[in-house]
Amino acid sequence: MKTRIKNLIKIALKAIVLNKMRTLLTMLGIIIGVASVIAMLAIGEGSKKSIRDQISSMGSNMLTIRPGSDIRGGVRMGASDVQTLRLEDYEALKENATLLSFVTPQVNGNGQAINGANNWPTTIYGVNPEYLSIKVWELTEGSMFTNVEVRTASKVAVVGRTVVENLFPDGESPIGKMIRFNSIPFKIIGVLEEKGESNFGQDQDDIIIAPYTTIQKRILAIDYIQSIVASAVSEDAAEGAVDEITTILRERHKLSENEQDDFNVFSMDELITTFSSTSEMLTILLVAIASISLLIGGIGIMNIMYVSVKERTREIGLRMAVGAKGADILLQFLIEAVLISITGGVIGVILGFGATLFIQSILGWPTIITTYSVVVSFAVCAITGIFFGWYPARRASALDPISALRYE
């Protein structure tokens, strides 16, 4: 049996070598299809990892609690309905939540930051010192304000690199300098490390951070908080932390079982899942388009095998006349089809690796080649060879030896 298979492989290889150009053209659809599938999957996996990394860099296991949506059941809610978060809620979470490592109230407002003749439109965030730990953010100069400065509503601020570059274009250190935000003076005590653009296209360095008490009283003139930002003790604990926050706040707000939450809790996991699923759908779409080449390649294999059967009808008849069985003829042409398909697959994999490296190095797109994409490509090649080679091979094996020998 082993010798028989070996001989059939030799015959198939000889037939392929004798028709090199025709075989190469037949392989072309398979080569392009496999290379495209590998490159598309690499782009998809790379984009998912990039999304996860960028969202994770926005905060360590970050959770955000916001007031209930201002539109519910198609009815627009009033201002009082979105002022459901109070400092007491933050204090309750700080005191009772066991799955949170850091918690801070958050308020923010937009306006003009001014330093002499230089001004820049930016956003100021009011938080407490734990904000930097939640956001995994370091300082390059100076220091963060303290809880004492929060309690006394001190007019001190930590600024992002974009704000520094626009308010201090000469390159001088901003530490100790006074700037104004909507006419309120702030003393700069720290500069944040550069983070760059977020996954949403937002400049993360275009920011001013100050004590939330200062922003509440001096800038916004409000007594409620716009949101609460927290960090779960670990990534695995994030889901449990969401449930814990919900329980504590529902109890604080005295909501009955039949009443809806008047707040929303968002975790980074939800954001990552949403973006990853979108990226996955796009990857599937791209792979589906790339797979059309595999289908075309399979049809090409079927077509060339039909031609091969026609050209070698006398050879088939001769082999049958000297004792070859129909199963031998079937296996011979099937092996030939699979060899064409798998050889095309190998070339396609090499081309796919090359295309992926080109995309990563020249275009700068994140890519990850996974083992399963190569395994799937080979499996598809083998299946394509068997599927599209079967019918021509079956037809060859069913030829009548006498008729085949008389064929011209």
Side-chain angles (χ1 to χ4, degrees):
M1 180 67 180
K2 194 180 288 186
T3 307
R4 177 178 150 210
I5 296 293
K6 194 182 291 184
N7 289 335
L8 289 173
I9 291 172
K10 284 180 182 177
I11 294 168
L13 283 171
K14 187 178 178 182
I16 289 171
V17 171
L18 284 172
N19 298 282
K20 291 188 284 288
M21 182 55 69
R22 187 170 74 180
T23 303
L24 183 62
L25 292 173
T26 305
M27 290 178 185
L28 206 54
I30 299 291
I31 293 169
I32 293 170
V34 169
S36 301
V37 167
I38 288 175
M40 292 304 103
L41 283 172
I43 291 170
E45 289 298 321
S47 66
K48 279 194 282 186
K49 186 178 185 301
S50 176
I51 288 167
R52 182 175 286 275
D53 290 345
Q54 287 193 46
I55 292 176
S56 296
S57 73
M58 292 167 62
S60 174
N61 311 317
M62 195 169 77
L63 304 166
T64 305
I65 304 111
R66 294 195 181 98
S69 175
D70 63 344
I71 297 177
R72 187 179 297 166
V75 179
R76 190 167 185 84
M77 300 170 69
S80 61
D81 295 312
V82 295
Q83 297 175 13
T84 55
L85 291 181
R86 300 280 169 174
L87 281 174
E88 291 79 12
D89 296 321
Y90 152 69
E91 289 161 1
L93 291 175
K94 184 74 176 169
E95 185 178 342
N96 301 314
T98 59
L99 296 176
L100 300 180
S101 51
F102 304 103
V103 189
T104 177
Q106 180 174 282
V107 290
N108 63 274
N110 299 316
Q112 288 282 333
I114 302 167
N115 174 43
N118 301 308
N119 66 85
W120 180 250
T122 187
T123 303
I124 192 165
Y125 284 83
V127 292
N128 71 15
E130 294 185 9
Y131 183 75
L132 293 190
S133 298
I134 295 169
K135 298 286 283 185
V136 196
W137 219 336
E138 300 291 334
L139 296 170
T140 55
E141 290 183 72
S143 60
M144 184 62 168
F145 48 80
T146 63
N147 284 317
V148 173
E149 287 168 315
V150 172
R151 283 196 299 271
T152 57
S154 298
K155 289 178 279 188
V156 292
V158 174
V159 294
R161 180 54 55 187
T162 300
V163 175
V164 173
E165 289 171 355
N166 285 279
L167 295 187
F168 300 91
D170 297 332
E172 60 182 312
S173 174
I175 301 299
K177 301 290 195 304
M178 297 297 293
I179 62 171
R180 283 179 293 127
F181 185 89
N182 289 358
S183 77
I184 306 298
F186 284 90
K187 181 182 178 180
I188 296 177
I189 61 170
V191 177
L192 295 161
E193 71 173 356
E194 190 172 350
K195 271 206 171 187
E197 196 173 271
S198 73
N199 204 55
F200 309 102
Q202 179 186 8
D203 184 1
Q204 297 180 88
D205 302 311
D206 189 6
I207 186 174
I208 298 175
I209 298 173
Y212 69 87
T213 48
T214 308
I215 306 306
Q216 275 184 310
K217 295 174 184 177
R218 310 278 185 180
I219 305 292
L220 301 175
I222 59 175
D223 61 357
Y224 59 92
I225 54 178
Q226 294 168 334
S227 61
I228 298 170
V229 183
S231 178
V233 292
S234 69
E235 190 175 334
D236 294 335
E239 190 175 338
V242 170
D243 294 335
E244 187 178 53
I245 289 167
T246 302
T247 301
I248 292 170
L249 291 184
R250 282 188 66 85
E251 189 177 330
R252 266 271 317 135
H253 295 183
K254 296 181 172 58
L255 298 173
S256 66
E257 287 185 9
N258 298 325
E259 289 182 287
Q260 290 184 329
D261 296 339
D262 57 359
F263 57 88
N264 293 292
V265 186
F266 303 93
S267 70
M268 299 308 278
D269 277 347
E270 292 173 358
L271 205 56
I272 289 170
T273 302
T274 301
F275 275 86
S276 293
S277 61
T278 303
S279 175
E280 198 164 334
M281 285 299 294
L282 287 172
T283 303
I284 291 169
L285 179 63
L286 290 171
V287 169
I289 294 169
S291 298
I292 293 171
S293 293
L294 285 174
L295 178 64
I296 293 168
I299 293 169
I301 288 172
M302 181 182 279
N303 184 50
I304 209 67
M305 293 310 295
Y306 264 125
V307 172
S308 186
V309 168
K310 280 284 185 184
E311 286 180 349
R312 293 154 66 188
T313 301
R314 284 178 66 84
E315 176 196 326
I316 295 166
L318 186 60
R319 289 197 64 208
M320 287 180 140
V322 296
K325 297 176 181 177
D328 296 324
I329 304 299
L330 172 69
L331 205 54
Q332 175 192 333
F333 282 91
L334 203 55
I335 288 171
E336 191 174 324
V338 171
L339 283 174
I340 290 172
S341 185
I342 288 180
T343 305
V346 172
I347 298 170
V349 168
I350 295 168
L351 191 64
F353 272 76
T356 302
L357 290 173
F358 173 83
I359 290 166
Q360 188 169 1
S361 57
I362 305 299
L363 300 180
W365 294 0
T367 57
I368 297 174
I369 295 175
T370 55
T371 306
Y372 85 86
S373 67
V374 178
V375 172
V376 167
S377 296
F378 270 112
V380 168
C381 285
I383 292 167
T384 300
I386 293 168
F387 182 80
F388 287 99
W390 173 264
Y391 188 71
R394 182 78 185 84
R395 184 174 177 181
S397 69
L399 285 173
D400 177 59
I402 306 297
S403 301
L405 285 168
R406 289 175 178 172
Y407 183 82
E408 294 182 7

